[in-house]
C-alpha cells in the first residue's frame, strides 16, 4: 500500500511543474527519470510556498496575518518532513522522500523561506537585501538541485564548489529574468519592484540594458560549470540555461516600454529547437573518439 501511495505522491508533485512552468517542465524532461522525479518533487514544494506569498492565498480570502501564519506553518512542515515517512499532503510526502535521499541541507531550506517571508513585508530592496533575497529564493534552489544531481555520486570538495558556484549563478539568472519578464505583474498586482536601479530611475532602456548584461554574466558562469555535472544532468541544465538565455535575449531586443507592459515568453516551437540544440552540443562535447 505504501508503494502505491508513494507513486501517487510522485505523480501529484509532477503535475505541479507541468501546470506552472513549461520551460522547467521541458528541461526536466531531458533528465534521467530519477533526477526528473526529484527535481519535480523539489519544484512542487517551492511552488506551493510561492503561491502562499504571491497572492493566491490572499485571493482565497486569507488575511495578511493568516498568510504569514500559513507560510510559517509550511516552513515547519517542510523542515520536519524528512524525518517522517508518511504525510497526508502528497506533495510534502514526495518532497520528504527526495530530501532524505539527496540529503538536502536544512539551512538552504531556511534561507528559501526567509526570502519568501521578505515578500510579505518588503516591496522594494537595496543591493544588500536584494542579494539576500535572490540567494534564498533562487540560488539555494540551485544548490539543492546539485544535491539531487550528485546523489549517489562522489565529488571532490573542489568539484562540488565549482558546481555550487555555477548553480548559484544559474539560479540568480533565472530569478533576475523572471523579475524582468514579470515586471508588470509584480509592480501592478503585487506592488513589488525588486531592482534598486529601477526603483530609482524606472525601467528605462539604460536600466534594462544593464540588467540584461548582468544576467548574461550569470549565464556564462553557469554554463562553464555544466561539463562538471554528471552526464545525465548536463542536457537538462544546459536546456534550462538556453531557454532563459533566449528569454533574456528577447527582453534585450524589446523596447523597455513593452517589457513594462506585459510578460515576455518564448513560443513552444522555439523552446523545442533550443532544447534540441543544447542536447546536441552536450553530445558533441561528451563524445570521445576511440
Amino acid at each position: 500500500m505504501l508503494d502505491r501511495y508513494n507513486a501517487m505522491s510522485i505523480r501529484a508533485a509532477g503535475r505541479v511543474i507541468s501546470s506552472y512552468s513549461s520551460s522547467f517542465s521541458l528541461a526536466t524532461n531531458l533528465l534521467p527519470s530519477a533526477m526528473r522525479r526529484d527535481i519535480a518533487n523539489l519544484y512542487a514544494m517551492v511552488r506551493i510556498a510561492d503561491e502562499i506569498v504571491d497572492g493566491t492565498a490572499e485571493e482565497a480570502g486569507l488575511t495578511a496575518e493568516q498568510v504569514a501564519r500559513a507560510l510559517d506553518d509550511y516552513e515547519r512542515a517542510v523542515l520536519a518532513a524528512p524525518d517522517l515517512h508518511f504525510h497526508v499532503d502528497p506533495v510534502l510526502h514526495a518532497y520528504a522522500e527526495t530530501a532524505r535521499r539527496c540529503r538536502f541541507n536544512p539551512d538552504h531550506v531556511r534561507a528559501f523561506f526567509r526570502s519568501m517571508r521578505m515578500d510579505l513585508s518588503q516591496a522594494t530592496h537595496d543591493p544588500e537585501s536584494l542579494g539576500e533575497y535572490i540567494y534564498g529564493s533562487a540560488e539555494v534552489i540551485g544548490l539543492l538541485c546539485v544535491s539531487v544531481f550528485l546523489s549517489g555520486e562522489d565529488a571532490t570538495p573542489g568539484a562540488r564548489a565549482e558546481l555550487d558556484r555555477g548553480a548559484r549563478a544559474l539560479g540568480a539568472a533565472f530569478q533576475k529574468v523572471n523579475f524582468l519578464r514579470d515586471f508588470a505583474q509584480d509592480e501592478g498586482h503585487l506592488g513589488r519592484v525588486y531592482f534598486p536601479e529601477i526603483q530609482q530611475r524606472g525601467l528605462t532602456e539604460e536600466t534594462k540594458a544593464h540588467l540584461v548584461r548582468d544576467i548574461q554574466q550569470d549565464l556564462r558562469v553557469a554554463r562553464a560549470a555544466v561539463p562538471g555535472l554528471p552526464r545525465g544532468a548536463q542536457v537538462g541544465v544546459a536546456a534550462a540555461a538556453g531557454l532563459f538565455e533566449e528569454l533574456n535575449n528577447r527582453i534585450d531586443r524589446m523596447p523597455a516600454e513593452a517589457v513594462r507592459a506585459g510578460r515576455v515568453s518564448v513560443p513552444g516551437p522555439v523552446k523545442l529547437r533550443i532544447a534540441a540544440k543544447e542536447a546536441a552540443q552536450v553530445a558533441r562535447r561528451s563524445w570521445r573518439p576511440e
Side-chain angles (χ1 to χ4, degrees):
M1 288 188 290
L2 181 59
D3 286 346
R4 183 166 63 178
Y5 190 80
N6 289 342
M8 178 279 295
S9 298
I10 290 167
R11 287 195 300 273
R15 290 295 298 272
V16 176
I17 194 169
S18 63
S19 298
Y20 277 92
S21 177
S22 57
S23 294
F24 279 124
S25 183
L26 174 59
T28 55
N29 281 336
L30 299 173
L31 296 171
S33 59
M35 288 183 188
R36 182 167 65 246
R37 174 201 62 212
D38 288 329
I39 295 298
N41 292 348
L42 171 61
Y43 180 95
M45 180 279 286
V46 168
R47 183 73 255 173
I48 288 172
D50 279 339
E51 292 302 298
I52 293 172
V53 302
D54 280 352
T56 303
E58 183 182 7
E59 284 185 24
L62 273 66
T63 65
E65 182 180 348
Q66 289 171 326
V67 171
R69 190 181 308 128
L71 185 66
D72 290 344
D73 290 345
Y74 195 54
E75 179 182 15
R76 283 191 290 270
V78 169
L79 286 169
D83 294 330
L84 302 173
H85 290 257
F86 178 79
H87 299 271
V88 295
D89 173 357
V91 167
L92 203 58
H93 186 84
Y95 166 80
E97 196 274 334
T98 289
R100 278 192 300 273
R101 190 163 29 76
C102 299
R103 299 182 179 181
F104 283 172
N105 186 337
D107 287 341
H108 294 159
V109 177
R110 292 186 185 96
F112 168 70
F113 278 96
R114 276 197 301 273
S115 288
M116 294 301 96
R117 200 164 284 109
M118 290 170 79
D119 273 334
L120 298 180
S121 60
Q122 190 165 349
T124 61
H125 290 272
D126 58 29
E128 182 178 355
S129 69
L130 180 63
E132 180 184 354
Y133 180 85
I134 291 175
Y135 173 74
S137 65
E139 293 181 24
V140 297
I141 306 305
L143 296 175
L144 292 170
C145 287
V146 172
S147 294
V148 169
F149 299 146
L150 294 182
S151 179
E153 301 272 346
D154 290 325
T156 66
R160 178 62 188 256
E162 186 61 27
L163 292 177
D164 284 350
R165 180 171 179 262
R168 290 184 61 177
L170 191 58
F174 288 171
Q175 186 64 287
K176 292 170 189 175
V177 167
N178 283 334
F179 288 160
L180 286 173
R181 74 185 299 212
D182 296 335
F183 181 81
Q185 170 76 6
D186 286 341
E187 182 187 45
H189 183 64
L190 299 173
R192 299 174 189 162
V193 178
Y194 290 96
F195 292 114
E197 51 263 66
I198 292 179
Q199 298 163 29
Q200 295 165 5
R201 292 178 284 164
L203 181 51
T204 65
E205 296 299 335
E206 182 181 3
T207 55
K208 178 174 73 76
H210 174 261
L211 294 169
V212 163
R213 289 194 299 271
D214 183 48
I215 293 166
Q216 288 170 343
Q217 176 58 27
D218 285 334
L219 288 168
R220 281 192 288 271
V221 172
R223 282 190 176 279
V226 170
L229 288 166
R231 175 75 180 274
Q234 290 183 28
V235 174
V237 174
L243 291 168
F244 275 79
E245 190 170 57
E246 175 64 19
L247 273 170
N248 195 44
N249 290 339
R250 285 172 180 257
I251 291 169
D252 190 24
R253 294 192 296 267
M254 291 173 65
E257 182 179 358
V259 177
R260 289 195 301 268
R263 196 171 194 262
V264 184
S265 62
V266 177
V270 177
K271 291 179 180 180
L272 292 174
R273 287 199 297 271
I274 290 169
K277 183 181 94 171
E278 297 291 346
Q281 289 177 342
V282 168
R284 284 196 297 270
R285 186 170 61 236
S286 301
W287 182 78
R288 295 288 184 273
E290 296 294 337

